[in-house]
Amino acid sequence: MNAFQRRLRWCWFLVAGAILFWLPVEDVNFTAVTIFSAVICCLGVLTLQSRWNLKPRTYAWLGFFAGLGVGPLGVLLMVFKIGLHSHSRPDFTIVQLSSLIQVTPIWGLIGFLLGLGRYLYQLSRNQ
């Protein structure tokens, strides 16, 4: 295991700890959910790249699919938190759940552009 993979593992631990800290908090804003799901998707892509030694030309598409995963992963986090709290009135409404799904194409574009930027950076370092 190289130094990058060790740092990546520590990032996973930090995100898991932050999520465990966030779960009991009565939070009705879905900004934290979006940040958590985006960070998890980014860490997932970096983990795949470090373990499988992927070609740099695949970075843009990996970013695209990771970006598409931000919305559904955020909804899963929201539903998990609703299930844990089990109030008579849920923490998140259906409108908040659907609004996170509606911005999924935007997150896909953001992921694609970030992956393309990483690919171009890798190309510039190789020359």
Side-chain angles (χ1 to χ4, degrees):
M1 179 182 299
N2 60 21
F4 178 73
Q5 289 176 334
R6 269 185 258 128
R7 280 181 269 165
L8 200 57
R9 181 174 287 177
W10 278 107
C11 288
W12 278 110
F13 285 134
L14 286 173
V15 169
I19 288 175
L20 287 175
F21 178 75
W22 167 76
L23 280 173
V25 175
E26 296 292 332
D27 183 22
V28 294
N29 191 353
F30 62 92
T31 304
V33 175
T34 308
I35 291 171
F36 283 138
S37 61
V39 167
I40 289 170
C41 288
C42 285
L43 286 176
V45 165
L46 290 174
T47 303
L48 282 176
Q49 289 174 356
S50 71
R51 290 189 182 189
W52 289 354
N53 293 328
L54 299 171
K55 304 259 189 246
R57 63 176 178 251
T58 62
Y59 290 171
W61 292 108
L62 274 173
F64 175 70
F65 290 118
L68 287 180
V70 170
L73 183 61
V75 168
L76 283 174
L77 285 171
M78 292 165 96
V79 168
F80 185 69
K81 186 172 181 171
I82 289 170
L84 281 179
H85 286 200
S86 66
H87 298 302
S88 59
R89 190 178 68 83
D91 293 340
F92 302 104
T93 63
I94 295 293
V95 174
Q96 287 176 317
L97 291 168
S98 66
S99 67
L100 195 56
I101 290 294
Q102 287 175 353
V103 296
T104 297
I106 296 169
W107 279 106
L109 179 63
I110 291 170
F112 180 79
L113 292 175
L114 285 172
L116 184 64
R118 180 171 159 118
Y119 168 66
L120 292 175
Y121 174 75
Q122 193 75 24
L123 274 179
S124 70
R125 299 226 356 141
N126 289 340
Q127 293 182 5

